[in-house]
Amino acid sequence: MKSIGRPPAFPYKGATLYADALPVHELAEIYGTPLYIYSLSALRERFRVFDQAFQKLPHTVCYAVKANANVHLLGDLAKLGAGFDIVSGGELERVRKASKPALARTVFSGVGKTADEMDAAMKADILMFNVEGEGELKLLAARAVANKVKTPIAMRVNPDVFARTHPYISTGLRDHKFGVSIKDAARLYAFAAEQKWLAPVGVSVHIGSQITDVQPFAAALKRVGQLVKELRASGRNIQYVDAGGGLGIGYKDADAVRIDFTKHAAEYARAITSALRGLDVHLLLEPGRALIAPCGVLLTRVLYVKQNGRKRFVIVDAGMNDLIRPALYSAHHGIIAAKKPKSGRTAIYDVVGPVCETGDFFARDRRLPEAEENDLLCILDTGAYGMSLSSNYNSRGRAAEVLVHGNAVMLARKRETIQDQMRNELR
């Protein structure tokens, strides 16, 4: 199999940056900025690489909808055989719109499921609920009785494994809000087995996000594998292990070169499958960022270049409402020019947006090609948690989204207007 690192979806041809076979400056002329651009060819290739890494074990790749919920992307993944990991009733409806058959390959995670969401998912006949607490388990049992729907479940167990990632996206320690203690699992599975309309058929785990070292996954799945053996010994018919997601990518240029996706996916697969060897389970996987993040960019136009004291600022038309990760996590995103300047000169800039917050930035003290007003800049690796975390802060409309495949382009989401924002406000 061809080895891939950063998807070759946004190459330079001469001094011009392309999205697949289309110059990005032409997309800006047609659709305006800020603009999210996604490469379908890159997404399809990364899905195939990830899926094939687990080919020796029965499995389903359940894409994490929260990473990027655009229904066109979901529909494209469904055609490749993907299932979905959802965390809300809204995401359930997005999967339904994208592909009704994919509902049968959908798992419902999340710590705050409501009765209405449970009812909707039961009626949609999803694959399984990942239950995150005793109170939720009891409510789910009651809703299954009310709906008279045999409801497959897995308990999300907390393996107390430390994942080296940002504390906001670490989820596998005992003091986190997610899951139940692995020590309480036997009791909760016994309760579930006593419920006429519940079917405890799986064990679920998820230790966090943006994890590039595969060893924490191996440690977590080793504990899950032992739990599966104990549950089966007590008569539980465990058929599924949901390994969650969390595989990270290289956001910095050096990491993007170092983290070759084909090799990384293979290492990840070995870490997980070795821990489950001999268990005869169907493995569920919930990648999000690992699939979609490098397949998307945020295209933004330079409004002004200014200097305050020793600081030089590039002020662009995208803001933290469009991409909040740098402000929220101090996350790094590569930034490149849509057209390389002929001079070849560079300068140190803070790249900032127009939002009325000092935290509205995309880069600080970053060396970039010398910028001028009306230049276009491309913020890399924004396919995940870009649009899905966007907002209307400062009454700014959300960006448009386009999908490219070769020399074809499709508008996947219109630019939001102020009329769109105020439509549901009553006066």
Side-chain angles (χ1 to χ4, degrees), residues 22-293:
L22 299 169
V24 297
H25 70 267
E26 292 186 3
L27 296 176
E29 291 169 5
I30 298 170
Y31 300 105
T33 57
L35 179 66
Y36 275 103
I37 305 170
Y38 309 119
S39 167
L40 284 181
S41 57
L43 177 60
R44 291 169 184 174
E45 177 64 12
R46 288 179 80 85
F47 179 88
R48 291 189 184 101
V49 166
F50 190 93
D51 189 41
Q52 290 178 20
F54 290 89
Q55 61 184 326
K56 293 182 180 179
L57 195 68
H59 69 278
T60 303
V61 179
C62 299
Y63 168 77
V65 174
K66 62 180 176 289
N68 188 321
N70 185 283
V71 292
H72 294 280
L73 293 174
L74 302 184
D76 202 74
L77 286 166
K79 290 177 183 177
L80 298 176
F84 296 98
D85 165 49
I86 62 171
V87 293
S88 73
E91 290 186 353
L92 175 70
E93 291 310 307
R94 285 181 174 273
V95 172
R96 190 195 307 276
K97 184 173 183 179
S99 170
K100 287 184 180 179
L103 290 168
R105 306 190 296 272
T106 295
V107 295
F108 198 156
S109 305
V111 300
K113 304 178 190 74
T114 67
D116 287 345
E117 288 175 323
M118 292 176 179
D119 291 350
M122 288 178 189
K123 292 171 184 176
D125 198 21
I126 65 168
L127 176 62
M128 191 167 67
F129 284 85
N130 286 334
V131 180
E132 304 227 16
E134 186 170 357
E136 178 190 334
L137 180 61
K138 291 178 178 178
L139 177 59
L140 191 67
R143 297 318 304 160
V145 170
N147 288 297
K148 292 184 170 50
V149 172
K150 193 72 170 180
T151 302
I153 69 157
M155 295 302 303
R156 176 174 170 175
V157 296
N158 193 323
D160 202 27
V161 168
F162 176 64
R164 296 183 181 276
T165 188
H166 192 284
Y168 288 4
I169 50 178
S170 176
T171 63
L173 296 176
R174 70 183 72 179
D175 56 353
H176 291 152
K177 70 178 181 179
F178 300 96
V180 300
S181 170
I182 202 166
K183 296 177 182 179
D184 292 334
R187 176 178 62 84
L188 295 173
Y189 276 95
F191 172 83
E194 294 170 354
Q195 310 307 306
K196 177 181 178 181
W197 295 98
L198 293 186
V201 296
V203 177
S204 172
V205 67
H206 179 69
I207 60 173
S209 185
Q210 186 47 23
I211 304 166
T212 56
D213 179 4
V214 301
Q215 291 311 309
F217 296 112
L221 268 296
K222 184 176 181 181
R223 296 181 185 183
V224 167
Q226 182 60 38
L227 176 61
V228 170
K229 293 176 184 177
E230 294 170 3
L231 292 172
R232 284 178 170 172
S234 63
R236 313 296 169 229
N237 182 25
I238 303 301
Q239 304 167 38
Y240 296 95
V241 167
D242 188 334
L247 185 65
I249 69 162
Y251 281 99
K252 296 184 179 180
D253 289 343
D255 290 335
V257 172
R258 177 178 61 83
I259 302 176
D260 177 280
F261 185 60
T262 304
K263 294 179 180 177
H264 203 208
E267 291 171 358
Y268 176 66
R270 284 194 295 271
I272 288 176
T273 57
S274 63
L276 301 177
R277 188 172 291 119
L279 282 184
D280 188 26
V281 292
H282 188 104
L283 181 62
L284 304 175
L285 301 143
E286 300 172 358
R289 182 197 318 266
L291 296 184
I292 188 62

